Amino acid sequence: MPTTRQRGFTLLELLVVMVIIGLLAAYVGPKYFAQIGKSEIKTAKAQIVGLEKALDQYRLDTGHYPSTEQGLTALVTRPATEPKWDGPYLTKAVPNDPWGNPYIYKSPGDHGEVDLISYGRDGRLGGDGPDADITNW
């Protein structure tokens, strides 16, 4: 009676394949996560542009930008002291930045009529890369 030989992979072959997969993951992983950081920055810039447009429409209707105290909520809810308000100027609630922090709004601004700021991933003033501030100036 002939013996049948079992075919399969040796432990050494499996280890070689696992090392190759690990090397590929180590190479591709950082590039993938770097792209995620770039998309968050692009989203924050796009949201700031959208908020600027809504603020400009508010100014066209009322003759001035909302005060710092009124904040960006004046784009959605009529301020009690604003008879010319013709909003809402945003279709949804005022968004937070992509990292979940509220945008900083100042009127009058230090760099223009209004300043809009996201403090980036770290949520603090300053920083580099994904932690850098994103502004409208």
Side-chain angles (χ1 to χ4, degrees):
M1 174 186 303
T3 59
T4 58
R5 184 173 168 161
Q6 296 266 340
R7 299 192 126 198
F9 297 107
T10 65
L11 180 59
L12 182 59
E13 291 168 331
L14 289 173
L15 287 174
V16 168
V17 168
M18 289 178 66
V19 166
I20 291 171
I21 290 172
L23 289 171
L24 286 173
Y27 177 74
V28 172
K31 293 187 182 297
Y32 172 75
F33 289 112
Q35 293 302 318
I36 290 175
K38 287 180 185 176
S39 67
E40 289 171 333
I41 292 169
K42 287 180 182 178
T43 300
K45 288 179 180 179
Q47 285 178 333
I48 285 175
V49 167
L51 290 171
E52 281 184 307
K53 289 179 181 178
L55 286 164
D56 287 341
Q57 187 62 48
Y58 180 101
R59 184 180 61 114
L60 286 172
D61 288 346
T62 63
H64 57 85
Y65 288 108
S67 67
T68 302
E69 293 76 29
Q70 290 170 328
L72 295 173
T73 57
L75 298 173
V76 180
T77 306
R78 176 192 297 266
T81 59
E82 194 51 66
K84 295 180 183 177
W85 191 87
D86 193 28
Y89 300 96
L90 295 174
T91 56
K92 298 179 181 177
V94 177
N96 285 335
D97 69 13
W99 301 277
N101 302 314
Y103 285 99
I104 307 301
Y105 171 74
K106 291 171 73 177
S107 175
D110 298 329
H111 302 277
E113 293 184 77
V114 294
D115 288 353
L116 287 168
I117 307 165
S118 166
Y119 287 145
R121 183 180 65 184
D122 65 354
R124 293 192 312 254
L125 183 63
D128 295 320
D131 294 335
D133 299 343
I134 301 157
T135 64
N136 67 328
W137 63 86

